[in-house]
Amino acid sequence: MTPRKTGAFAALVATLAVVVAVVAATASAARAPIVIGWAYDGNGAMAPFDGPALAAAQIRVKQVNAKGGVNGRPLRIATCNTQGNKPAIARACAAKLLSQGANVIFTTCDVDFAAPVVQEAINRGVLAVAPCIGTDQMGPKRFGAKGKLAFSFGNVAQDEGSAMAQYAWSKGWKSASLATDTVIVYFKDVVKAFKARYTQLGGKIVDEETYQSLGSTNITNAVTRLNGKKADVIVTATAGAFGALPQMISGLRTLGNNTPVLNSWAGDGVYWVTKEPQVTNYYFVTFASIFGDDPVPAINQLAKTLKAGTGGFVTGSAAIDGVATAIRRSGGSTNGARLAATMEKFKKVPTLSGLVSFSPTLHTVFGRQYRVMQIQDNKGKRIGAVTAKVVPKI
């Protein structure tokens, strides 16, 4: 072989080596896991909501990976316990997960508690997702322009309160007393939305009380005043884990007041019920039934597997479904801005929780069907379904 041919051959070999290396690197990158960093509350007030959602998401990730992952890449969840959503610890959790290469950050189910984690993610251009935050603040309204990267697979409070109003009206409950827990925005907005839609339908508000859960004692005074007003239904939005709900129900029933109480999904489950007096005539709307009577068999199986305490568990699975869909529709990209632009266009995207829709102004789900549940003598069951027809302005 002549020197010229030898040189040409060597150059060809070198070029092929570079091509092989590039192809190998590309293939390796394609197979690299998509990391979901999850900052969750393991032992605080949000633990009853964060824990089941995380557990459901972990099961859903295994199912997705068993079918080849997302665009050929497996999903992987990395976790960090915010220990009651203490702001400094939550922020440190987010920073840690991002430093470990998280492509998407998941956070707790209340926007106030979630704020430190969300800000860490969106400041670095990373998509921030909550399984079940229920306010329109998970987006630009709370976090400004960078809030375009923040979404929740919970139901937005305006939609939920509207659905509750429709159900109340359908039951023939023509008058309502409102009891607003002021501890978080979601609770306040659900009741505001209920009032807006209920009065639009023709309902009459006969009393409006406020109280604060998480250690406050003013629930007793609110119960006394509620008992003094005659209404067809008492409406609230609060969580059993926050303490005030069992006090409200037991207080009313001890006074001999058996007026129906209608709550949001935050009041899901029977983990909080009191033995004496038993919880009766209590209703709430939620994502899924935990009592084995959900119309979707896969939900019943998942609830049984997880021994779920609230129907919010299904939002963990829904969030995985939604993010996976966004990545596929974005051509496999995990770029935060690209994923956010894709998710803003979601219209009735199928998930285990039902059909999910977002918009440029609402980054929390609207239009999804709610299960209507009743607890009677401490036993829960599904009694119907409702979907909001109107998303009122509040």
Side-chain angles (χ1 to χ4, degrees):
M1 186 178 290
T2 64
R4 176 177 289 181
K5 289 181 177 180
T6 299
F9 180 75
L12 177 60
V13 170
T15 300
L16 288 173
V18 171
V19 171
V20 168
V22 170
V23 171
T26 301
S28 178
R31 291 190 298 271
I34 297 169
V35 180
I36 296 171
W38 200 310
Y40 72 100
D41 181 2
N43 56 332
M46 299 306 297
F49 309 103
D50 288 7
L54 172 56
Q58 289 169 327
I59 290 174
R60 186 63 180 141
V61 161
K62 289 180 181 178
Q63 294 169 341
V64 171
N65 288 344
K67 294 182 179 181
V70 180
N71 285 37
R73 298 175 64 185
L75 298 175
R76 181 170 68 84
I77 296 177
T79 63
C80 185
N81 186 350
T82 62
Q83 300 175 38
N85 286 311
K86 297 179 178 66
I89 296 176
R91 191 174 295 107
C93 269
K96 175 184 174 183
L97 293 166
L98 289 163
S99 71
Q100 293 174 343
N103 302 107
V104 180
I105 289 290
F106 278 34
T107 185
T108 192
C109 287
D110 170 69
V111 73
D112 293 321
F113 293 139
V117 173
V118 173
Q119 287 167 339
E120 282 292 317
I122 65 178
N123 284 342
R124 303 194 196 189
V126 174
L127 186 74
V129 172
C132 46
I133 282 175
T135 77
D136 59 1
Q137 294 193 8
M138 190 61 174
K141 184 174 181 178
R142 172 71 173 261
F143 299 104
K146 292 181 180 179
K148 288 182 69 68
L149 299 175
F151 289 81
S152 172
F153 284 81
N155 291 312
V156 72
Q158 289 94 318
D159 188 84
E160 188 167 358
S162 178
M164 291 165 62
Q166 283 177 211
Y167 181 73
W169 189 251
S170 74
K171 287 283 287 183
W173 296 334
K174 305 300 185 182
S175 62
S177 289
L178 308 182
T180 301
D181 185 348
T182 59
V183 75
I184 59 175
V185 173
Y186 161 67
F187 293 163
K188 292 185 287 187
D189 283 358
V190 167
V191 178
K192 287 178 184 177
F194 175 91
K195 179 180 179 181
R197 179 60 174 150
Y198 187 67
T199 53
Q200 184 183 63
L201 289 167
K204 180 182 178 182
I205 305 299
V206 299
D207 188 30
E208 296 186 58
E209 303 294 342
T210 61
Y211 65 96
Q212 185 172 350
S213 55
L214 291 179
S216 177
T217 59
N218 64 355
I219 183 61
T220 302
N221 294 330
V223 167
T224 299
R225 290 191 294 268
L226 288 166
N227 185 60
K229 301 284 186 174
K230 184 174 175 55
D232 292 333
V233 63
I234 296 171
V235 177
T236 193
T238 190
F242 282 30
L245 181 57
Q247 294 180 59
M248 176 186 292
I249 304 299
S250 63
L252 288 167
R253 302 310 181 233
T254 299
L255 290 169
N257 188 326
N258 200 39
T259 303
V261 174
L262 176 61
N263 200 349
S264 67
W265 86 269
D268 195 347
V270 293
Y271 67 92
W272 57 269
V273 301
T274 56
K275 291 183 179 180
E276 293 294 338
Q278 290 191 331
V279 175
T280 59
N281 223 14
Y282 172 78
Y283 301 78
F284 59 91
V285 298
T286 188
F287 302 96
S289 174
I290 61 171
F291 303 114
D293 57 358
D294 196 274
V296 179
I299 287 178
N300 291 325
Q301 182 57 52
L302 187 55
K304 182 179 180 180
T305 299
L306 297 176
K307 296 181 174 59
T310 77
F313 75 90
V314 77
T315 62
S317 178
I320 296 297
D321 290 340
V323 168
T325 297
I327 292 171
R328 293 189 187 103
R329 291 186 180 181
S330 300
S333 174
T334 57
N335 174 269
R338 188 166 181 181
L339 292 177
T342 299
M343 288 173 66
E344 279 192 348
K345 298 175 183 176
F346 274 14
K347 301 297 180 188
K348 297 184 177 181
V349 170
T351 72
L352 185 60
S353 69
L355 302 178
V356 165
S357 299
F358 295 121
S359 74
T361 55
L362 286 179
H363 283 200
T364 305
V365 179
F366 58 92
R368 180 164 50 192
Q369 186 188 79
Y370 298 82
R371 277 55 162 166
V372 181
M373 313 298 296
Q374 182 185 35
I375 296 179
Q376 193 73 14
D377 299 327
N378 282 9
K379 295 180 180 179
K381 66 178 180 179
R382 179 177 61 89
I383 60 171
V386 64
T387 302
K389 295 180 181 179
V390 174
V391 181
K393 293 183 179 180
I394 59 174

